Amino acid sequence: MQTIYKYTLEFADDQTIELTENYQILNVAEQHGMLNLWSIVDTEGPKVPVKIRIFGTGHGFREAKNEFLIHLGTVVMTAGFVWHIFQVEEYAVGDY
């Protein structure tokens, strides 16, 4: 069944969350002081790892040769911090 789920992200540079095949990420935002991601998932589908990378404004930006970053959104926290959330997609060197 297609369902919208919320995933709380860690305040860490890199992390992996488990979604299901054919997921659709809808939004990233603050809720109750936490950084969250909402996605449409198939509750009966097989799980797949999804790599997330977070950069703070003014922090170094990094992207390896075998990956590209998909911007999911920018979140301005109530406390004043601003986080830029990316999905990390890896590919074999030479594919691009």
Side-chain angles (χ1 to χ4, degrees), residues 13-61:
D13 292 346
D14 291 289
Q15 60 198 280
T16 300
I17 60 174
E18 284 195 344
L19 303 179
T20 58
E21 282 186 352
N22 302 316
Y23 62 88
Q24 180 184 351
I25 295 174
L26 301 173
N27 194 29
V28 289
E30 176 185 17
Q31 185 181 42
H32 308 296
M34 301 302 295
L35 188 56
N36 294 288
L37 177 147
W38 285 265
S39 180
I40 297 172
V41 297
D42 178 355
T43 58
E44 298 171 5
K47 292 187 177 187
V48 295
V50 176
K51 294 182 180 183
I52 303 293
R53 184 166 298 152
I54 301 174
F55 299 97
T57 298
H59 295 191
F61 185 86

Side-chain angles (χ1 to χ4, degrees), residues 53-58 71 73-75 82-86:
R53 184 166 298 152
I54 301 174
F55 299 97
T57 298
H71 184 251
T74 295
V75 179
V82 179
W83 304 109
H84 309 279
I85 317 306
F86 292 83

Side-chain angles (χ1 to χ4, degrees), residues 64-67 90-96:
K65 287 184 180 181
N66 68 326
E67 64 187 22
E90 296 180 347
Y91 59 89
V93 174
D95 284 353
Y96 285 87

